[in-house]
Each structure stands twice: as structure tokens, then as C-alpha cells.
């Protein structure tokens, strides 16, 4: 299939930075902050996010270098294709797709959960019970309607989606900072932060395993490489800046919540961050205001991962790894319209699984994301060893320390999801999602006859990079 060069190069530095940052801060900080503090303590949970941030920064640095060498839509798919071959490329792309679609589905389920906080007991039209939770049509319809709207916005163009991302991220950031300042200078009390640690290292590890899913988002940047109107050298700096901002965000939210609510209050709170905002300002009205930030966070992640997932599908379709239908570019809007429709459809159906699906998507998607990070680390090390002379507009250090750190850390995280570990995937739902996804993936993988592994040439890659550095 001949590759189309039909994308519009319209994304600025600000667009790209906000796209990644908005994707990483999402909704989890609203609904899960209380769980983190109860599991590891106020300081323990902060340490967990700092350690998780180290993993993501190491992986982010490998992504940053690889993106400047292979600035193509599809990101990690092309990293692996150009180093370890088509089969490895398919596996990393399929893993990322599961991770991205899990986030999109998570947000579709999270939206009615948030609305329920504002308008409790609005359920009507009982459908069925899954995971011990009753699914109602009115509840599911909220998430389904939101999914349709976000899908349409992405359908009509990436610049429109990027503008939405900027507006929502500014709203989200302002409300989050209100919580931090309100807790610090208003109703927060330092004694609420006790206990500082809960469960020792086990508590810290229990929170840390959630961080890959929560930090996923910076890797959306490589997916839109052909739609960015910025020098390649700037991409690496933007990736690291976006990850650093996200780490700081989660640390500040944990600090703000732990100042405003003590352990007893956290135990009875359904949305700890919203309740902390109300306590910080002494009014339940401010809890509702924070929920607006939560909705903005849902939409920023939702938006970013439809963008990222559809671009991976497009790249795979261009090489025949997926049916050509997925690689169609809309003649007017210049977006991978069919891929967007498929992800939008899966997102629209996911609220029918009910609220327990939030946990299923986090766990199944988290393992897939860490697997993809591991493979990118291997690709990075392969390229450093076999093509040291290759031009790299952004280098992740002169030595291979970053690559090996990313390699070791991702293996450690993968082990945490395996059977026998406290954080292993739960049977049957999480394993069904994982196994069904890979069954479909292996069907496509073995149906396609993989070409021989491509040979890298300095001229081919460097010409591509050089052409993109003129902006």
C-alpha cells in the first residue's frame, strides 16, 4: 500500500506540550487520590509517584531520541520496524493500542461516575449486572453521549482537537492549583498528613504500579510526528517537560488532599479530591467546582488517546499490518477517519460494562503499556549498538545508562502484573480483556506475511530528519 502524505502540519510547541500533559493528568487524580494516601501514606504515595516518574522519564528519554530519528506517524511502531523488524513492530503497536483504547474506554466509564457525584441517584432503565454492579441505561447514556462528541471533534481535525485540549487543560490546571493553594493557606492542617507512611515498601509499591497507566500520554507525541510544525530537536525537550509537569501535578494533588482530609475522612469519601477541595474552602460548592476540573481531565485524556490510537492504526494499515480500510485519510479533514470511528465505537460501548470496568481497564491497559515501553527500550539499545553513527537531533545522554535503566525498570514493572504478585491481573474480566485482545492481534500478525527486516541507511534516515528540521 502506497503511503499517503496527507496530514496537515499544524501542531505548534504549545499544542504538543498540552496534548501530552493533558493526556497524563486525566481523571485518576480525582477518584484515586484517597486510595493512594490510605495505601502508602501521604509521603509514601508522593515517593511512589516520584519513583514512577523516574521510570517514565527514562522511557520518555528513549522515546525522545527515537522520535527525532524516526519522525513518522505511528511512533513506536516505526521504532521497532526499523530496528527489530515487522513482527516486533506489530507487537509493540498492538500493545500500545490496548493501552490507549483502555484509557479511552476508562474515560467513557469515568464520565457518568463523575456526573453521579453531582446528581446522585439518577439511574433509570436497569440493563444488567456485571461485577456485582447494576448497569442502568441512563448512567451508560452519559458516557456514550460524551464518547460520540469527542469522536466527532477528532473526526473534523487534529487542530480542533488540539484547541479543545488547550482550553480544557487550562481549566483543569487552574482548578487543581486552587486545591493546592486552598489546602496550604486555607482549611488544610499539617496533622492531617499523618500517617506519613503506611505499609512500608509494600504500600509504596502498591501505589507505584498504578503510575504507568496514569503517566501514559507523553508517547502520544510520536504518534503525531508528521502533524507537528516544530524542529525535531524540540520534540525531546517537550516530552521531558510534559512528563516533569505531570509528576509535579500528581505530587501537588496528593499534598493538597492529604492536608485537607485525615485518614478517617478519606475512608468514607467516594471522591477524595473533590471532598478535599470542599474542606479546603469550607464549602461544598468548591467540591462541585473541582468536579468540573475532573470532567476537563476526562476529556483531555479521552481526546489525546483517540488521536494517538488512530495514528497507530493508520501507520499499521499503511504497511498492511491491518486492513487498508484503517489507513484511510479523510479527504477534507485530513484525519485517519476510519480508525477514529473504530476507537470511538469501542469507547461508546464501554459504559455498558458499568463502573467496575474502571479497574479492569487500568490493569489490563497498564500491563500492555509497560510491555510497549520495554520493547522501545530494547529498540533504543539496539540502535545505539548497531547504528552509533546515526544522526540524532536529540540524544538521551552520551552513554547507554538511560536505555539500560529503562530496560531494567520496565522488566520490574512487568513482573508486578504477573500471577502470584499482589497486583496480578484479576480473573476473569482483566484476563479476558487481555487474552481476547492478543488473540485478535495474533490473527492479524500471522495472517500478514512479514517482509524482511529493513536495513537502516544513514542517508535515508538523516535526509528525513533533516527535512523536518527546517521548520
Amino acid at each position: 500500500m502506497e503511503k499517503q502524505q496527507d496530514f496537515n502540519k499544524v501542531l505548534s510547541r504549545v499544542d504538543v506540550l498540552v496534548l501530552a500533559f493533558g493526556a497524563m493528568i486525566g481523571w485518576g487524580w480525582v477518584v484515586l487520590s484517597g486510595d493512594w494516601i490510605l495505601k502508602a501514606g501521604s509521603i509514601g504515595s508522593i515517593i511512589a509517584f516520584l519513583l514512577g516518574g523516574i521510570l517514565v522519564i527514562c522511557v520518555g528519554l528513549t522515546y525522545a531520541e527515537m522520535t527525532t530519528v524516526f519522525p513518522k506517524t505511528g511512533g513506536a511502531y516505526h521504532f521497532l520496524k526499523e530496528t527489530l523488524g515487522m513482527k516486533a513492530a506489530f507487537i509493540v503497536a498492538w500493545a500500545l493500542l490496548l493501552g490507549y483504547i483502555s484509557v479511552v474506554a476508562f474515560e467513557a466509564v469515568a464520565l457518568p461516575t463523575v456526573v453521579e457525584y453531582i446528581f446522585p441517584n439518577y439511574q433509570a432503565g436497569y440493563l444488567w449486572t456485571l461485577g456485582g454492579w447494576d448497569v442502568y441505561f441512563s448512567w451508560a447514556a452519559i458516557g456514550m453521549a460524551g464518547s460520540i462528541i469527542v469522536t466527532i471533534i477528532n473526526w473534523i481535525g487534529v487542530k480542533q482537537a488540539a484547541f479543545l485540549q488547550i482550553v480544557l487543560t487550562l481549566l483543569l490546571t487552574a482548578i487543581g492549583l486552587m486545591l493546592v493553594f486552598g489546602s496550604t493557606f486555607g482549611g488544610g492542617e499539617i496533622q492531617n498528613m499523618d500517617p506519613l507512611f503506611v505499609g512500608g515498601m509494600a504500600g509504596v509499591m502498591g501505589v507505584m504500579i498504578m503510575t504507568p497507566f496514569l503517566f501514559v500520554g507523553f508517547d502520544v507525541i510520536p504518534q503525531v510526528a508528521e502533524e507537528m510544525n516544530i524542529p525535531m530537536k524540540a520534540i525531546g525537550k517537550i516530552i521531558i517537560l510534559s512528563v516533569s509537569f505531570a509528576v509535579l501535578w500528581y505530587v501537588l494533588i496528593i499534598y493538597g488532599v492529604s492536608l485537607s482530609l485525615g485518614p478517617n475522612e478519606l475512608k468514607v469519601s467516594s471522591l477524595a479530591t473533590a471532598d478535599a477541595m470542599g474542606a479546603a474552602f469550607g464549602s461544598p460548592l468548591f467540591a462541585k467546582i473541582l468536579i468540573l476540573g475532573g470532567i476537563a481531565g476526562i476529556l483531555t485524556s479521552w481526546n489525546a488517546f483517540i488521536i494517538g490510537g488512530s495514528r497507530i492504526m493508520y501507520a499499521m494499515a499503511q504497511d498492511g499490518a491491518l486492513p487498508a480500510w484503517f489507513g484511510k485519510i479523510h479527504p477534507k479533514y485530513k484525519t485517519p477517519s476510519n480508525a477514529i470511528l473504530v476507537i470511538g465505537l469501542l469507547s461508546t460501548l464501554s459504559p455498558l460494562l458499568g463502573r467496575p470496568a474502571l479497574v479492569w481497564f487500568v490493569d489490563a491497559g497498564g500491563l500492555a503499556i509497560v510491555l510497549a515501553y520495554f520493547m522501545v527500550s530494547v529498540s533504543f539499545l539496539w540502535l545505539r549498538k548497531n547504528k552509533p553513527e546515526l544522526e540524532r537531533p536529540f540524544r538521551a545522554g552520551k552513554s547507554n545508562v538511560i536505555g539500560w535503566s529503562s530496560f531494567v525498570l520496565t522488566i520490574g514493572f512487568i513482573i508486578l502484573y504477573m500471577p502470584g504478585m499482589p497486583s496480578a491481573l484479576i480473573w476473569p474480566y482483566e484476563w479476558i480483556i487481555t487474552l481476547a485482545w492478543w488473540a485478535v492481534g495474533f490473527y492479524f500478525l500471522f495472517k500478514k506475511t512479514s517482509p524482511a527486516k529493513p536495513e537502516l541507511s544513514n542517508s535515508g534516515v538523516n535526509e528525513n530528519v533533516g527535512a523536518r528540521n527546517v521548520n
Side-chain angles (χ1 to χ4, degrees):
M1 180 176 179
E2 184 180 353
K3 184 174 177 61
Q4 305 174 50
Q5 298 293 336
D6 287 333
F7 286 112
N8 289 329
K9 295 173 67 66
V10 294
L11 297 179
S12 66
R13 283 178 172 87
V14 173
D15 291 332
V16 175
L17 175 61
V18 174
L19 180 68
F21 176 65
M24 283 186 279
I25 58 179
W27 159 251
W29 62 279
V30 178
V31 70
L32 297 176
S33 61
D35 294 336
W36 303 332
I37 297 168
L38 290 172
K39 184 172 289 187
S42 57
I43 300 300
S45 53
I46 287 174
I47 291 173
F49 271 88
L50 291 174
L51 292 174
I54 292 172
L55 162 71
V56 178
I57 287 174
C58 288
V59 174
L61 283 166
T62 65
Y63 263 85
E65 179 172 315
M66 298 291 282
T67 301
T68 62
V69 179
F70 307 113
K72 300 178 181 179
T73 295
Y77 173 76
H78 287 290
F79 306 166
L80 272 293
K81 185 178 77 170
E82 299 289 354
T83 54
L84 303 181
M86 280 297 300
K87 288 184 178 179
F90 183 95
I91 291 172
V92 76
W94 200 248
L96 277 176
L97 266 178
L98 175 55
Y100 286 8
I101 292 174
S102 293
V103 176
V104 171
F106 176 95
E107 307 303 357
V109 177
L111 181 60
T113 304
V114 145
V115 172
E116 189 175 21
Y117 183 90
I118 303 174
F119 303 106
N121 303 317
Y122 70 91
Q123 294 94 336
Y126 171 80
L127 296 176
W128 43 68
T129 299
L130 284 175
W133 201 83
D134 295 336
V135 182
Y136 289 85
F137 175 77
S138 60
W139 189 92
I142 298 293
M144 297 171 81
S147 177
I148 292 170
I149 292 170
V150 175
T151 301
I152 291 172
I153 291 170
N154 276 272
W155 170 280
I156 63 175
V158 70
K159 188 63 178 178
Q160 289 80 0
F163 176 76
L164 173 68
Q165 193 81 350
I166 290 174
V167 172
L168 292 173
T169 302
L170 287 174
L171 172 63
L172 171 60
T173 303
I175 291 174
L177 291 177
M178 282 178 63
L179 167 64
V180 175
F181 284 107
S183 298
T184 303
F185 302 108
E189 299 180 2
I190 195 69
Q191 59 264 33
N192 284 338
M193 297 186 71
D194 289 329
L196 302 180
F197 294 92
V198 175
M201 277 306 298
V204 172
M205 295 291 290
V207 174
M208 192 170 68
I209 60 169
M210 302 182 193
T211 58
F213 184 88
L214 295 166
F215 281 128
V216 65
F218 72 87
D219 48 333
V220 170
I221 293 177
Q223 314 306 338
V224 294
E226 294 183 53
E227 297 166 86
M228 294 187 289
N229 189 26
I230 60 177
M232 286 296 104
K233 188 173 183 179
I235 293 177
K237 297 176 182 178
I238 292 172
I239 289 177
I240 302 311
L241 192 60
S242 67
V243 173
S244 301
F245 282 166
V247 173
L248 178 62
W249 173 267
Y250 282 110
V251 168
L252 288 175
I253 293 299
I254 292 168
Y255 164 77
V257 173
S258 62
L259 267 182
S260 293
L261 299 180
N264 292 332
E265 295 166 305
L266 289 172
K267 289 176 183 177
V268 298
S269 174
S270 60
L271 292 178
T273 314
D275 290 339
M277 181 78 147
F281 288 93
S283 170
L285 173 63
F286 284 88
K288 299 287 195 297
I289 291 174
L290 188 128
I291 290 299
L292 292 177
I295 293 174
I298 288 172
L299 295 174
T300 57
S301 283
W302 209 337
N303 189 48
F305 288 108
I306 288 183
I307 292 173
S310 62
R311 272 60 178 179
I312 292 179
M313 294 178 112
Y314 164 84
M316 296 173 76
Q318 292 299 305
D319 287 339
L322 289 178
W325 184 84
F326 289 97
K328 179 184 176 182
I329 296 293
H330 194 283
K332 177 180 179 181
Y333 300 124
K334 306 301 182 183
T335 57
S337 51
N338 290 344
I340 290 171
L341 282 178
V342 170
I343 296 175
L345 175 63
L346 293 174
S347 172
T348 303
L349 295 176
S350 60
L352 296 173
L353 298 176
R355 186 169 181 171
L358 288 172
V359 177
W360 306 340
F361 293 138
V362 168
D363 292 345
L367 174 58
I369 290 161
V370 177
L371 174 61
Y373 289 170
F374 167 75
M375 296 186 71
V376 171
S377 303
V378 174
S379 175
F380 174 90
L381 292 169
W382 186 97
L383 195 65
R384 280 289 186 97
K385 178 181 179 180
N386 292 282
K387 293 290 178 179
E389 76 287 354
L390 200 64
E391 181 186 348
R392 293 165 169 85
F394 178 90
R395 291 186 66 90
K398 294 182 179 179
S399 71
N400 289 334
V401 170
I402 291 296
W404 282 111
S405 298
S406 178
F407 177 85
V408 172
L409 288 170
T410 49
I411 288 178
F413 269 81
I414 289 172
I415 291 172
L416 294 177
Y417 290 94
M418 293 296 104
M421 301 299 291
S423 54
L425 296 188
I426 298 171
W427 178 264
Y429 301 105
E430 293 168 9
W431 277 110
I432 287 174
I433 292 171
T434 300
L435 295 176
W437 182 259
W438 285 105
V440 174
F442 285 129
Y443 167 78
F444 285 123
L445 176 62
F446 292 111
K447 182 180 179 182
K448 172 181 168 56
T449 302
S450 299
K453 184 168 71 175
E455 292 294 330
L456 284 173
S457 65
N458 285 347
S459 60
V461 174
N462 288 344
E463 286 172 4
N464 192 12
V465 172
R468 298 185 183 280
N469 272 332
V470 298
N471 293 319

